[in-house]
Amino acid sequence: MQDGNVSMGFEAVAHVMWELPFPLRFERGAFFVWEPDDGVALFDPRPAVGDLVWNRRSTLLSLRDVGFSSEPLDAPEQFPSHDYKVVCQLASGASVETAQLLGGINGGFREARPYTIANLFLCLRKRSSYADPGVLERAGAALNNLLDAYRFITMDALARPISVARDCYYTVISVADVPAELAHLTPEALLRHVGDLQFGHIVGQNRAHTIGLNSFDDLFTGSSLPQASSQLLFNLVVRRHELELSHMLLLSSIRRLKRSEHALAVIDAESAFESTVAAILVEQLKSQARSASEIEALLAPRGRFHMLQQRLVELDRIAASKHFLGSNAESVWRTDLSALRNRVVHEGLRDVTFDVAKKAVTAALRAVDAVQGLAPAFERQLNWTGSAVDLPHIEQSAGRISRLFEA
């Protein structure tokens, strides 16, 4: 219990270390930040530069392991035969080597990657709790609160929130015992003595670690395409085609599902459905010999077809024999996607589970398929239908360790 800012006593301080795959541009050293339990933690970011490495050949898996029946033929002549250095010119006029391109079958590249060693210190009332999941959750909440403020101030395109459960490959938590004379200090006062404490380094005794897991299913998405899918692909690639905005948004929502960006997956899915409705309606208005200015006015604010509901009513009227409104697809869309999207956008909902987000994305796919099936004139060149809209190949998994380093 606490009385104001006065603690009833701390037995230890936990040191949580993350490696953030982007630099934080702080000139000062350690500083205090918010954390959910005691209201204050100490954050000490340290800049560092590492190398991100890609090799053309794996020393861990073979092609047979990932579903192919044979190994590739060794053809050294098809690969670059020399190594190259990539040099960048700085504003100061100095030149620095930022990457190496490595030749040969086993080559690849090595790229310099600035990053941040993020050190976070938390007060513990019970020393034994240092390895509890709650400590990492506290640290994650504190870190993301800081990162959100940093992103807002800097508008940095690389900085992003960190998932405690997934964005780590080796997160270390070390604990230091608090001397009796410091035990009853306030959290802020105690954290000012971090430099005087001795943090442990023996796993299981005074250190715990979280090792990032990965999923085989995410290393490779399956075996070779089945015959039907291969034939469809071969038919498509011999002529020019172009994905529509709705396709790109739906693919984005599926990708966000696998990256655990569930709330954003919901937004992309709803945007895909609305984009489909708009595209079909515009085509129908053009077929009625409406001018571009007329169509723009009809879809603009206060226009006859500005609202989504108005657009759906008009598509049902044009289709005549089939209706989206009142259908099962509409009911699923409103329940599983539209209402959820409104909670995300208008109520600030961020904590969306994988299962709920996947239902939202599949609701979008079903709704898109239903609208396109109302009339032959509504059909698109490319459309997902049948069992594909259930996304059977998309399952929640541990992902890939390298996700942490994806910009």
Side-chain angles (χ1 to χ4, degrees):
M1 297 290 293
Q2 285 183 292
D3 182 11
N5 198 36
V6 180
S7 168
M8 295 302 293
F10 296 102
E11 293 183 356
V13 171
H15 169 210
V16 184
M17 189 199 78
W18 262 292
E19 291 166 272
L20 306 179
F22 44 81
L24 296 179
R25 296 181 286 116
F26 292 116
E27 291 187 1
R28 61 184 295 181
F31 53 94
F32 291 111
V33 298
W34 169 90
E35 71 94 3
D37 278 23
D38 294 312
V40 62
L42 186 67
F43 184 66
D44 186 6
R46 301 296 177 98
V49 179
D51 286 342
L52 197 62
V53 180
W54 162 259
N55 294 319
R56 295 188 180 99
R57 289 294 179 87
S58 173
T59 59
L60 302 173
L61 294 173
S62 70
L63 273 177
R64 290 186 179 88
D65 293 327
V66 295
F68 286 96
S69 59
S70 62
E71 292 291 321
L73 296 175
D74 288 337
E77 66 277 3
Q78 72 181 348
F79 297 102
S81 56
H82 295 87
D83 297 344
Y84 295 91
K85 295 180 179 180
V86 178
V87 177
C88 292
Q89 192 84 17
L90 302 182
S92 64
S95 296
V96 294
E97 183 181 342
T98 58
Q100 296 174 349
L101 309 181
L102 308 175
I105 291 175
N106 298 316
F109 71 83
R110 180 187 306 274
E111 181 184 46
R113 180 68 66 89
Y115 70 101
T116 303
I117 300 173
N119 301 288
L120 196 72
F121 298 89
L122 302 168
C123 297
L124 302 177
R125 288 176 174 75
K126 295 293 183 182
R127 181 193 185 280
S128 59
S129 69
Y130 78 93
D132 293 348
V135 172
L136 204 55
E137 291 173 7
R138 287 172 63 189
L143 180 62
N144 282 330
N145 186 67
L146 162 80
L147 291 176
D148 282 347
Y150 178 85
R151 295 163 65 208
F152 176 78
I153 295 296
T154 63
M155 301 181 74
D156 190 329
L158 296 179
R160 59 178 173 82
I162 295 299
S163 167
V164 170
R166 302 183 69 249
D167 285 335
C168 71
Y169 71 97
Y170 204 126
T171 299
V172 176
I173 304 176
S174 304
V175 67
D177 295 318
V178 172
E181 63 271 19
L182 303 180
H184 290 279
L185 294 178
T186 64
E188 183 173 328
L190 175 57
L191 291 171
R192 293 183 184 277
H193 290 273
V194 158
D196 303 324
L197 303 179
Q198 297 296 317
F199 289 89
H201 59 274
I202 301 174
V203 175
Q205 181 175 321
N206 45 33
R207 172 174 286 183
H209 57 209
T210 298
I211 298 177
L213 302 177
N214 65 8
S215 166
F216 182 83
D217 290 338
D218 290 318
L219 298 178
F220 192 76
T221 55
S223 58
S224 300
L225 287 176
Q227 179 62 34
S229 297
S230 295
Q231 190 57 55
L232 176 60
L233 176 67
F234 298 150
N235 292 339
L236 286 174
V237 297
V238 295
R239 63 182 186 273
R240 187 180 184 279
H241 60 271
E242 186 174 3
L243 294 180
E244 298 184 37
L245 177 59
S246 60
H247 296 128
M248 291 185 281
L249 286 167
L250 283 166
L251 290 171
S252 175
S253 68
I254 293 169
R255 185 172 188 269
R256 290 189 185 281
L257 276 180
K258 292 301 294 182
R259 292 177 59 85
S260 294
E261 298 168 351
H262 300 149
L264 294 176
V266 172
I267 294 175
D268 281 351
E270 173 64 13
S271 296
F273 174 70
E274 295 182 13
S275 172
T276 298
V277 172
I280 294 174
L281 179 58
V282 167
E283 288 177 355
Q284 294 305 303
L285 293 174
K286 287 180 179 178
S287 71
Q288 299 169 9
R290 304 266 193 172
S291 67
S293 59
E294 284 182 297
I295 295 173
E296 182 178 358
L298 287 169
L299 271 60
R302 294 187 295 277
R304 180 181 169 192
F305 303 131
H306 174 59
M307 303 299 292
L308 177 61
Q309 182 70 14
Q310 296 169 323
R311 298 176 183 185
L312 291 171
V313 169
E314 180 64 9
L315 290 186
D316 276 357
R317 187 193 68 78
I318 296 172
S321 62
K322 292 183 180 180
H323 293 154
F324 175 75
L325 296 176
S327 69
N328 182 66
E330 185 214 2
S331 177
V332 172
W333 162 66
R334 291 196 185 277
T335 302
D336 293 346
L337 176 57
S338 181
L340 180 61
R341 177 265 182 194
N342 290 339
R343 291 186 62 199
V344 170
V345 173
H346 301 301
E347 300 177 20
L349 176 67
R350 295 294 179 269
D351 187 15
V352 180
T353 67
F354 173 86
D355 289 338
V356 169
K358 182 178 176 179
K359 284 181 65 177
V361 176
T362 58
L365 285 161
R366 291 191 187 97
V368 166
D369 185 36
V371 169
Q372 293 177 172
L374 294 178
F378 294 0
E379 293 178 0
R380 325 307 292 161
Q381 182 183 15
L382 299 174
N383 182 37
W384 290 290
T385 190
S387 61
V389 301
D390 294 324
L391 301 178
H393 64 296
I394 304 296
E395 299 292 340
Q396 188 170 26
S397 62
R400 298 178 296 184
I401 291 176
S402 61
R403 174 187 178 275
L404 176 63
F405 298 94
E406 294 173 359

